[in-house]
Amino acid sequence: MKGIDWVVAVSLVAIGLSCLTMSASWLFNQDTLKEYLDTFLVICLFAGIPAFLGGLLYWIFKRK
C-alpha cells in the first residue's frame, strides 16, 4: 500500500471510532467532554487490545 492509502484507511477508522463514541456517549451524558473521552478510551482499548494480540501472534508465527 502506498502512503495515501494508509492515510485514507486511518482517517476512515478514526471517523468511524469517533462516530461510535459520539453515539455511545450521548446515551449517558450529553454535556461533558469527559464522558466522550472516557468512552473513546474504552472503545479504543476494546478495539486495540485484540488487534495488538492478533498482530503479536501473527508476528510470532511468521518468525518461526
Side-chain angles (χ1 to χ4, degrees):
M1 287 177 61
K2 295 181 181 177
I4 191 69
D5 296 334
W6 283 106
V7 170
V8 169
V10 168
S11 64
L12 287 175
V13 169
I15 290 169
L17 281 175
S18 65
C19 289
L20 180 68
T21 304
M22 187 67 68
S23 65
S25 64
W26 278 4
L27 287 173
F28 303 116
N29 190 358
Q30 299 179 7
D31 297 332
T32 62
L33 182 63
K34 182 183 180 312
E35 189 67 40
Y36 175 79
L37 293 176
D38 289 343
T39 308
F40 186 72
L41 178 66
V42 168
I43 289 173
C44 286
L45 285 176
F46 276 113
I49 290 173
F52 175 75
L53 291 177
L56 183 65
L57 287 174
Y58 175 77
W59 181 72
I60 289 171
F61 287 125
K62 184 79 172 176
R63 210 173 110 199
K64 289 185 179 182

